[in-house]
């Protein structure tokens, strides 16, 4: 885009003024393009550029110094209706006392021949001033805003010209998303959504019907290329592959269209998107019909789905059932009356009128300067009218593009009203706040007055409703049948709703499927084809490189199906779980029974010599140790994993702390037998409680740090040798786990050393020997536990840990308390102070 400074803009304006102004009272034309236009002068002029003819013919001569002559043919009555909608709307606004009061709108409408080159000529013509006025009259005002163009490529050229002069350009049919770039086209607006939204809609449609293998045809211009690019970006996110992208253009030779036909015939696609303008795509449609190519589901963009030329019974044979998105239809009151009043004899010099009359009536009107001798049609009588015509030109009940033109004119009028009166329409009093002469001389920019409350959002794209339509043949004529609604919001969000039961597909045929390769049957796998898209593959029998099953599944014997793995953990219901539960409850019961016996006999010498308080606390800790294995059963959860390891660590720390206290009591009692030794008096009940609480508290701190840093958690162990998933509790921090075990081991070793030091106590007081023996069992169990724990597979790892807990608890219970219970129940005569303190005499 050209970038001009303010001085350069003033220079261009001055240059244009010199070209158009000879004296204060008149104009002199130094040169002109031969471009006839529909013209009416007003206080404010609105320009228009429309492709009234859809084919441009350039005649050149090698011996002629004159510039090439441009001729247009292929009259398009739909576009001509757009021009008449501009005239009708301007007259309606001029008759409205609330909108632009005491200000008249004029118009100047030119033909672009649907050509970017001719559209550029038309833009320069509008920028240079009017040519229809007499040289002795005053200079009419310059064009303030322009309604242009139908094609995106033409709009790019027009917006580039007028953007330099800050002249707003409002398009009714240009959908290229590139035109939304405010840095390149600051004054471009439109009354139709951009292709950004249409591409999202088309991608959603393809996804809805499950089409994965499609073809695409684009206009070889900005409109087609940008549209297909946006569509591919959206549709590839759904895993859809585009088999080919072919280009068409109305100026192409027939050979190029035949090449596209061959691409379609050789491809396996059953769904093709045609993102092309009507004029570009129509020659290809004719070739497809001529070669009788059927069985393809066509998808259309906005450009040609409702165009009149393709909507014929001949085209229907190949394109019947085409799906496409169109603009929301509206009706314009009183427009039909205006259209039926068109008459070439009212203004004999009006351009385009003869072509329109010949197209509508089928005869050549006899106008001044035209004898009709060169006409190929019969001459008109002058009495022809349109009052009873059933031509589609006069059908104003389902206006789409025409209604966009209608909105464009009103958008300009509302913006002008806001600029000139500084108030929106409807607010009173209405007084001028800007002089019209100042606006004409200064080229006042009123782009910012195109507010969202009129027709546009901040990006120049309006919120709009799209309809999904399907071609259906009714009474030999193609009709566009509405099937559902696609609602767009201003931010591009959309809601797709399609009622499949109402869709008529090629007079009753089912919706086609379009895939490059079918889904591979059971027992086979995908094999990618080199150089082909990912949607194209071969199905080969499964071999060693089969597609692996997900981790939670395992292949069956035939290797053609994934089945769920068996989940394994130590359950309460299985024999091992039942045995563990029984032994745990038995040990807990024996501990409680022993405690009852001790409480009942606490005044006996054996109980007094065994330190009743520490023995009771030791029995309680053993009771908890026996219940601890129950937390290892059942499905591992977050809470059970944290509970089983911390409970085990704390209960065994409490147990060994009690044994340590008893050992210290025995050692101090042994030391007290020496004369003058007062150690026993310093280690009373308070000191015993401090030893037990301190040693247990240290273990609790270790467990708390373990749970806060990296706690145990459930873990799935996937084994490659079988089809099972082992649910286990991962210890989390290995260091913390072994710190808990190591601390218990340290306490046990200290106890063992102290008990060994007291081994020479009197024979009848055998507490030290009992503690030593119990600790030897305890240490032997946990030393053998480590290698067994590491080597055990699956749920047997948990079983090994449970066995270590139960066996060490039973070792402590039986070694320390069984001899005392033996004396109480079976040898009561030895339960005396004399026997406890004396020596046995053999």
């Amino acid at each position: 885009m050209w970038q001009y400074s303010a001085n350069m803009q003033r220079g261009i304006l001055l240059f244009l003024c010199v070209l158009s102004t000879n004296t204060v009272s008149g104009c002199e034309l130094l040169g002109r393009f031969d471009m006839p236009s529909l013209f009416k002068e007003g206080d404010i002029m609105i320009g228009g550029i429309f492709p009234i003819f859809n084919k441009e013919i350039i005649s050149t001569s090698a011996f002629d110094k004159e510039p090439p002559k441009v001729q247009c043919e292929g009259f398009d009555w739909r576009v001509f209706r757009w021009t008449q909608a501009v005239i009708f709307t301007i007259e309606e606004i001029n008759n409205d006392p609330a909108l632009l009061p005491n200000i008249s709108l004029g118009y100047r409408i030119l033909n672009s021949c649907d050509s970017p080159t001719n559209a550029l000529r038309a833009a320069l013509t509008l920028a240079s001033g009017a040519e229809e006025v007499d040289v002795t009259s005053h200079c009419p005002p310059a064009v303030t805003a322009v309604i242009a163009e139908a094609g995106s490529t033409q709009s790019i050229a027009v917006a580039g010209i007028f953007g330099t002069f800050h002249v707003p350009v409002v398009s009714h049919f240009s959908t290229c998303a590139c035109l939304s770039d405010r840095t390149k086209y600051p004054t471009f607006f439109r009354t139709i959504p951009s292709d950004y939204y249409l591409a999202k809609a088309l991608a959603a449609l393809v996804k809805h019907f499950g089409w994965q293998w499609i073809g695409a045809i684009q206009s070889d211009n900005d409109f087609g290329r940008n549209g297909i690019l946006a569509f591919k970006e959206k549709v590839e996110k759904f895993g859809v592959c585009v088999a080919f992208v072919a280009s068409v253009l109305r100026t192409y030779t027939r050979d190029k269209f035949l090449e596209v036909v061959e691409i379609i015939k050789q491809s396996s696609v059953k769904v093709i998107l045609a993102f092309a303008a009507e004029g570009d795509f129509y020659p290809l449609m004719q070739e497809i019909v001529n070669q009788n190519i059927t069985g393809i589901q066509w998808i259309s963009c906005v450009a040609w789905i409702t165009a009149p030329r393709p909507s014929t019974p001949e085209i229907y044979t190949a394109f019947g059932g085409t799906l496409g998105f169109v603009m929301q239809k509206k009706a314009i009151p009183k427009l039909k009356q205006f259209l039926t009043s068109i008459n070439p004899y009212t203004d004999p010099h009006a351009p385009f009128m003869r072509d329109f009359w010949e197209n509508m009536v089928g005869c050549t009107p006899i106008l001044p300067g035209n004898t009709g001798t060169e006409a190929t049609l019969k001459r008109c009588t002058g009495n022809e009218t349109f009052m009873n015509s059933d031509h589609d030109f006069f059908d104003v009940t389902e206006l789409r593009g025409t209604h966009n033109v209608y909105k464009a004119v009103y958008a300009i009028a509302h913006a002008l009203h806001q600029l000139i009166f500084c108030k929106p329409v409807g607010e009173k009093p209405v007084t001028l706040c800007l002089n019209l002469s100042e606006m004409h001389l200064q080229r006042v920019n009123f782009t910012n007055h195109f507010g969202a409350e009129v027709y546009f959002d901040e990006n120049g794209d309006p919120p709009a409703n799209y309809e999904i339509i399907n071609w259906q043949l009714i009474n030999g004529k193609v009709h566009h049948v509405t099937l559902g609604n696609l609602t767009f919001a201003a931010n591009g969000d959309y809601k797709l709703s399609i009622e499949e039961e109402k869709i008529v597909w090629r007079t009753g045929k089912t919706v086609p499927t379009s895939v490059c390769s079918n889904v591979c049957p059971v027992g086979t796998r995908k094999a990618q084809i080199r150089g082909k898209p990912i949607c194209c593959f071969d199905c080969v029998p499964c071999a060693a490189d089969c597609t692996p099953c997900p981790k939670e599944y395992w292949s069956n014997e035939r290797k053609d199906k994934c089945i769920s793995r068996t989940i394994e953990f130590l359950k309460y219901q299985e024999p091992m779980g039942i045995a563990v539960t029984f032994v745990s409850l038995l040990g807990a019961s024996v501990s409680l029974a022993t405690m009852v016996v001790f409480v009942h006999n606490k005044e006996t010498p054996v109980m007094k010599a065994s330190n009743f308080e520490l023995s009771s606390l030791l029995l309680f800790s053993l009771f908890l140790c026996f219940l601890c294995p129950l937390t290892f059963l059942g499905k591992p959860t977050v809470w059970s994993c944290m509970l089983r390891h911390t409970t085990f660590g704390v209960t065994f720390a409490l147990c060994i702390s009690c044994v340590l206290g008893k050992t210290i009591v025995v050692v101090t009692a042994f030391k007290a037998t020496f004369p003058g030794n007062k150690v026993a008096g310093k280690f009373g009940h308070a000191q015993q409680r401090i030893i037990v609480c301190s040693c247990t508290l240290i273990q609790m701190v270790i467990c708390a740090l373990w749970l806060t840093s990296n706690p145990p958690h459930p873990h799935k162990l996937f084994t490659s040798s079988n089809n099972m998933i082992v649910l286990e509790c991962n210890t989390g921090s290995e260091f913390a786990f072994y710190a808990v075990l190591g601390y218990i081991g340290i306490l046990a070793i200290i106890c063992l050393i102290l008990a060994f030091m007291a081994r020479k106590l009197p024979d009848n007081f055998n507490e030290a020997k009992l503690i030593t023996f119990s600790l030897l069992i305890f240490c032997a169990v946990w030393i053998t536990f480590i290698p067994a724990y590491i080597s055990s597979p699956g749920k047997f790892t948990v079983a090994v840990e449970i066995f270590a807990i139960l066996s060490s608890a039973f070792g402590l219970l039986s070694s320390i308390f069984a001899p005392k219970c033996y004396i109480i129940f079976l040898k009561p005569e030895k339960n005396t102070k004399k026997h406890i303190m004396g020596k046995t005499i053999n």
Side-chain angles (χ1 to χ4, degrees):
M1 178 59 62
W2 302 323
Q3 300 292 334
Y4 291 97
S5 64
N7 293 332
M8 185 175 290
Q9 291 181 12
R10 295 191 189 98
I12 294 173
L13 291 175
L14 181 60
F15 176 72
L16 292 175
C17 184
V18 171
L19 288 178
S20 60
T21 305
N22 184 28
T23 62
V24 177
S25 61
C27 298
E28 178 182 354
L29 298 177
L30 302 180
R32 60 180 293 171
F33 290 121
D34 186 15
M35 301 195 72
S37 62
L38 298 170
F39 177 83
K40 181 180 179 180
E41 188 177 345
D43 297 328
I44 299 176
M45 297 296 294
I46 297 178
I49 303 175
F50 295 91
I52 302 174
F53 296 89
N54 52 44
K55 188 174 183 181
E56 182 185 48
I57 300 176
I58 302 176
S59 59
T60 59
S61 175
F63 304 99
D64 195 354
K65 295 183 180 180
E66 294 293 329
K69 293 184 178 180
V70 179
Q71 294 181 343
C72 301
E73 64 179 30
F75 182 81
D76 192 330
W77 58 261
R78 183 178 65 156
V79 178
F80 185 76
R81 185 169 64 185
W82 295 347
T83 65
Q84 299 305 303
V86 174
I87 299 173
F88 167 80
T89 309
I90 288 177
E91 291 184 1
E92 189 176 69
I93 293 172
N94 287 338
N95 294 327
D96 187 351
L99 183 58
L100 295 174
N102 302 320
I103 297 175
S104 64
L105 295 180
Y107 56 84
R108 189 179 183 205
I109 303 172
L110 286 78
N111 170 41
S112 69
C113 273
D114 207 8
S115 163
T117 305
N118 219 47
L120 189 60
R121 293 192 187 100
L124 293 172
T125 300
L126 290 176
S128 62
E131 302 173 359
E132 284 76 5
V133 297
D134 187 80
V135 294
T136 59
S137 66
H138 68 284
C139 286
V143 170
T144 303
V146 179
I147 301 174
E149 233 274 18
S152 297
T153 302
Q154 294 89 296
S155 290
I156 290 174
V158 172
I161 292 294
F162 288 108
T164 306
F165 304 106
H166 301 290
V167 176
V169 178
V170 185
S171 175
H172 59 288
F173 218 66
S174 296
T175 59
C176 182
C178 59
L179 287 164
S180 297
D181 190 344
R182 277 283 169 267
T183 59
K184 293 182 178 180
Y185 313 105
T187 62
F188 179 84
F189 299 90
R190 49 186 158 198
T191 54
I192 183 174
S194 73
D195 289 333
Y196 170 80
Y197 306 112
L198 181 60
K200 294 180 69 175
L202 291 169
L205 184 69
V206 170
K207 178 186 177 184
H208 177 83
F209 289 109
W211 294 321
Q212 296 182 343
W213 182 241
I214 63 174
I217 296 174
Q218 65 181 13
S219 287
D220 195 7
N221 51 30
D222 299 277
F223 164 71
R225 287 189 292 269
N226 283 278
I228 290 296
L229 181 62
F231 170 76
K232 288 180 65 177
E233 290 177 355
K234 303 296 181 184
V235 82
E236 286 175 354
K237 295 179 181 179
F238 302 138
V240 179
C241 298
V242 179
F244 63 84
V245 177
S247 299
V248 294
L249 201 62
R250 71 195 64 200
T251 56
Y252 279 180
T253 62
R254 184 170 181 267
D255 291 339
K256 289 190 176 182
F257 285 102
L258 291 176
E259 291 177 2
V260 178
V261 172
E262 282 301 315
I263 293 175
I264 297 173
K265 291 169 64 176
Q266 294 177 8
S267 176
S268 61
V269 297
K270 298 299 180 182
V271 178
I272 300 178
L273 167 65
F275 212 104
E278 173 204 353
D280 297 333
F281 189 57
Y282 184 69
L284 181 63
M285 299 178 79
Q286 290 178 313
E287 293 295 339
I288 290 174
V289 171
N290 293 338
Q291 299 196 29
N292 195 26
I293 300 176
T294 58
I296 295 176
Q297 175 63 55
W298 290 90
I299 306 175
S300 170
C301 63
V302 178
W304 65 270
I305 187 65
T306 56
R309 284 196 300 172
S311 302
T312 59
E314 293 78 15
I315 298 296
Y316 182 83
T317 58
F319 291 86
T322 298
L323 280 178
F325 291 96
V326 295
M327 297 164 286
Q328 190 178 29
K329 58 187 176 183
K330 294 287 185 178
I332 301 177
K334 301 180 182 181
L335 178 61
K336 183 174 182 178
Q337 181 181 354
F338 177 82
L339 295 177
T340 54
S341 65
I342 297 176
N343 194 306
Y345 305 104
T346 304
D347 185 2
H349 300 287
F352 320 123
M353 192 58 65
R354 173 183 167 182
D355 299 275
F356 167 72
W357 200 258
E358 291 179 350
N359 192 281
M360 292 291 109
V361 181
C363 63
T364 302
I366 305 301
L367 302 174
N370 177 20
T371 60
T373 55
E374 75 285 358
T376 57
L377 300 174
K378 66 177 182 179
R379 283 188 280 182
C380 299
T381 62
N383 298 322
E384 294 81 7
T385 63
F386 297 129
M387 298 306 298
N388 299 319
S389 176
D390 60 349
H391 195 278
D392 290 342
F393 178 83
F394 305 102
D395 183 5
V396 295
T397 59
E398 296 184 359
L399 298 176
R400 303 181 193 276
T402 306
H403 191 264
N404 282 350
V405 175
Y406 181 77
K407 291 192 295 184
V409 179
Y410 263 101
I412 294 173
H414 277 266
L416 285 169
H417 187 100
Q418 177 76 19
L419 174 67
I420 296 173
F421 298 102
C422 298
K423 292 180 180 179
V425 178
E427 292 190 7
K428 295 183 179 181
V430 180
T431 56
L432 292 173
C433 64
L434 178 67
N435 192 292
L436 293 183
S437 61
E438 294 179 357
M439 184 179 72
H440 295 151
L441 291 176
Q442 298 177 10
R443 288 276 189 174
V444 175
N445 176 18
F446 69 98
T447 299
N448 295 331
H449 293 271
F450 283 83
E453 70 277 2
V454 184
Y455 295 102
F456 305 95
D457 64 12
E458 60 182 2
N459 296 320
D461 296 318
N465 290 332
Y466 267 92
E467 295 174 325
I468 306 173
I469 69 169
N470 167 254
W471 279 10
Q472 186 179 9
L473 193 62
I474 301 177
N475 297 327
K477 187 175 182 180
V478 174
H479 287 253
H480 303 93
V481 183
T482 301
L483 302 177
N485 289 324
L486 182 70
T487 303
F488 287 105
N491 61 358
D493 296 333
Y494 57 88
K495 178 182 179 182
L496 181 64
S497 175
I498 304 176
E499 300 177 4
E500 294 186 60
E501 65 273 11
K502 294 184 180 179
I503 297 180
V504 181
W505 296 91
R506 296 194 186 87
T507 64
K509 292 186 179 180
T510 57
V511 179
T513 58
S514 185
V515 293
C516 183
S517 300
N518 294 320
V519 178
C520 289
V522 176
T524 62
R525 62 177 179 84
K526 295 180 180 179
Q528 195 66 40
I529 303 175
R530 181 175 297 180
K532 294 287 186 178
I534 59 173
C535 298
C536 301
F537 50 84
D538 290 329
C539 297
V540 299
C542 288
D545 56 345
C546 291
T547 301
C549 293
K551 284 188 175 182
E552 289 78 9
Y553 294 86
W554 190 261
S555 60
N556 60 356
E557 293 181 358
R558 294 179 55 192
K559 306 297 182 183
D560 59 358
K561 186 178 180 181
C562 292
I563 57 177
S564 299
R565 289 176 182 252
T566 303
I567 298 178
E568 183 185 62
F569 56 89
L570 192 57
K571 303 179 181 65
Y572 288 99
Q573 300 85 354
E574 61 180 294
M576 188 182 296
I578 295 173
V580 168
T581 303
F582 174 76
V583 176
S584 297
L585 294 178
L586 177 63
S589 301
V590 172
S591 299
L592 288 177
T594 305
M595 186 179 296
V596 171
V597 171
F598 270 45
V599 171
H600 184 71
N601 298 276
K602 65 179 181 179
E603 299 299 332
T604 62
V606 171
M607 293 297 102
K608 290 181 178 179
S610 299
N611 196 327
F612 175 76
E613 183 177 342
L614 285 180
S615 296
S616 299
L617 189 59
L618 177 58
L619 285 171
F620 174 73
S621 64
L622 286 173
F623 170 76
L624 296 179
C625 289
F626 280 116
L627 294 180
C628 185
L630 298 179
T631 62
F632 287 77
L633 300 178
K635 185 177 182 179
T637 62
V638 175
W639 288 104
S640 66
C641 287
M642 292 191 295
L643 181 65
R644 66 172 60 171
H645 287 95
T646 54
T647 303
F648 155 72
V650 174
T651 55
F652 266 87
L654 176 62
C655 179
I656 302 301
S657 297
C658 294
V659 175
L660 177 62
K662 291 175 67 66
T663 306
I664 295 176
V665 169
V666 172
V667 172
T668 54
F670 172 72
K671 295 293 185 181
T673 58
F674 296 96
N677 196 317
K678 300 180 180 180
V679 176
K682 296 180 180 180
F683 197 79
H685 292 289
Q687 287 75 15
Q688 297 170 19
R689 295 176 189 139
I690 292 173
I691 286 291
V692 174
C693 293
S694 299
C695 294
T696 307
L697 182 62
I698 293 174
Q699 184 74 301
M700 294 176 66
V701 171
I702 296 174
C703 292
L705 294 175
W706 186 9
L707 295 179
T708 54
S709 60
N710 189 6
H713 56 272
H715 173 69
K716 291 182 179 181
L717 179 62
F718 297 93
T719 60
S720 58
S721 58
N722 53 48
N723 58 349
M724 290 189 298
I725 301 175
V726 179
L727 288 182
E728 60 179 10
C729 283
N730 188 294
T731 57
S733 173
E734 293 287 342
F735 176 79
F737 175 68
Y738 288 108
V740 169
L741 293 179
Y743 180 72
I744 297 174
I746 290 173
L747 292 178
I749 291 173
I750 293 174
C751 289
L752 181 61
I753 294 173
L754 293 176
F756 181 78
M757 291 171 57
R759 67 187 184 281
K760 294 183 179 180
L761 283 173
D763 291 344
N764 291 349
F765 191 86
N766 55 2
E767 185 79 11
K769 295 180 181 180
L770 299 178
I771 293 175
T772 303
F773 184 71
S774 65
L775 290 176
L776 286 174
I777 296 175
F778 183 88
C779 293
V781 169
W782 286 103
I783 289 173
T784 57
F785 158 76
I786 295 176
Y789 178 84
I790 295 174
S791 60
S792 298
K795 62 183 180 182
F796 295 102
T797 304
V798 180
V800 168
E801 191 170 358
I802 292 175
F803 173 78
I805 293 172
L806 292 176
S807 57
S808 58
F810 271 113
L812 291 173
L813 179 65
S814 59
S815 299
I816 296 177
F817 296 102
K820 297 177 178 57
C821 292
Y822 172 78
I823 293 175
I824 292 173
F825 288 110
L826 299 179
K827 299 291 182 178
E829 67 276 7
K830 295 183 178 181
N831 192 3
T832 61
K833 183 177 180 181
K834 181 179 179 180
H835 178 78
I836 296 299
M837 298 299 298
K839 287 188 177 182
T840 301
I841 301 175
N842 296 327

